[in-house]
Amino acid sequence: YLHCLQKEYAALKSLYDLKPMDSWVWKFHRMRPVNFPTRRISQLANLMTCQEGLFRKICETSDYSNMTELLQAEASEYWQKHYRFGDKPGKISGTGGKKQIEILIVNSILPLLWVYGKINNKNEYCDRAIDMAESIPPENNRITRQWRDIGIDTISSFETQGLIELTEEYCKNRRCLYCHIGTKLISLDSERKPQSDLILGEPS
């Protein structure tokens, strides 16, 4: 299987002048084996080959549960027994878990659907992306827990995505004066908590 892939890549590289990725781009450290990029790429390739007209189906899907079913994909036969090339074979799960598919939808599918609608002046796609984001439970990660700890509760992934963007673009970079929330906090009187106590994350 490996030799077959190498031969096929060599032919495609020559035909299309492909540039190989640097080895350091491949991240395996501190990652569960089931989430290794080798297996995820295999699942993505299988999804794209088995689902004819995948992007069209994504655009036509308005229900979150149907979207989840659409993105279910098995890894190829080799990757149902391996985590990396050359590993000792063993039976492992080939499908993406529910949480993994949810992450894919929130971080890739819905932004793609919204941008496609925006570029092509199709507001129904933008609305569909927002409606679906509002139907997905809030994310639970380091950033959303920081907001929760200071009393900011969320009810959907639409809200948690907003908090993540706010944190990455403003809080971490100390751009308080460019943020409506930041300027509001700065204007609080001296009886409130110091501004330093309300800053999320560490400066980059």
Side-chain angles (χ1 to χ4, degrees):
Y1 174 72
L2 173 57
H3 293 159
C4 179
L5 289 180
Q6 289 174 329
K7 289 176 62 177
E8 186 172 353
Y9 174 74
L12 293 173
K13 178 182 178 182
S14 176
L15 182 62
Y16 296 107
D17 192 28
L18 301 178
K19 306 297 182 185
M21 295 172 61
D22 294 324
S23 59
W24 61 267
V25 175
W26 295 82
K27 304 296 184 182
F28 295 93
H29 186 55
R30 293 183 179 177
M31 183 177 293
R32 294 178 60 196
V34 72
N35 291 326
F36 279 177
T38 44
R39 300 191 68 252
R40 291 305 181 199
I41 288 176
S42 175
Q43 288 176 294
L44 177 61
N46 194 44
L47 176 64
M48 295 180 69
T49 54
C50 294
Q51 289 281 9
E52 185 176 350
L54 178 61
F55 183 68
R56 174 180 55 81
K57 292 179 180 179
I58 288 174
C59 291
E60 292 174 351
T61 303
S62 57
D63 182 74
Y64 171 64
S65 60
N66 291 338
M67 184 73 78
T68 301
E69 287 184 21
L70 177 65
L71 297 175
Q72 288 281 357
E74 291 278 350
S76 64
E77 183 178 356
Y78 181 88
W79 295 109
Q80 291 183 32
K81 297 180 180 180
H82 299 80
Y83 291 116
R84 301 178 66 165
F85 285 113
D87 284 349
K88 184 178 179 180
K91 183 64 177 177
I92 55 179
S93 173
T95 58
K98 179 180 178 181
K99 180 56 64 175
Q100 191 66 34
I101 293 177
E102 182 179 293
I103 292 173
L104 176 64
I105 292 174
V106 170
N107 292 283
S108 300
I109 301 299
L110 297 186
L112 173 64
L113 186 61
W114 191 90
V115 170
Y116 177 76
K118 195 70 173 178
I119 291 176
N120 292 280
N121 294 317
K122 295 184 177 181
N123 292 330
E124 63 271 22
Y125 292 134
C126 298
D127 295 339
R128 188 178 302 167
I130 293 174
D131 290 343
M132 197 174 298
E134 290 179 336
S135 71
I136 300 174
E139 298 157 275
N140 180 24
N141 53 47
R142 177 181 55 82
I143 292 177
T144 59
R145 288 192 293 271
Q146 283 183 316
W147 284 99
R148 188 177 60 216
D149 290 344
I150 63 171
I152 306 297
D153 293 322
T154 55
I155 61 174
S156 70
S157 67
F158 181 77
E159 294 184 351
T160 52
Q161 280 289 296
L163 292 180
I164 292 171
E165 176 72 8
L166 186 66
T167 302
E168 295 293 338
E169 294 299 319
Y170 292 91
C171 300
K172 281 189 175 181
N173 297 314
R174 306 274 179 153
R175 299 178 61 206
C176 305
L177 295 178
Y178 299 93
C179 170
H180 290 300
I181 298 175
T183 54
K184 182 67 175 179
L185 292 176
I186 292 174
S187 68
L188 294 176
D189 58 43
S190 57
E191 295 180 2
R192 299 297 185 97
K193 288 185 177 181
Q195 180 190 351
S196 59
D197 292 345
L198 297 171
I199 294 177
L200 296 177
E202 296 295 332
S204 59

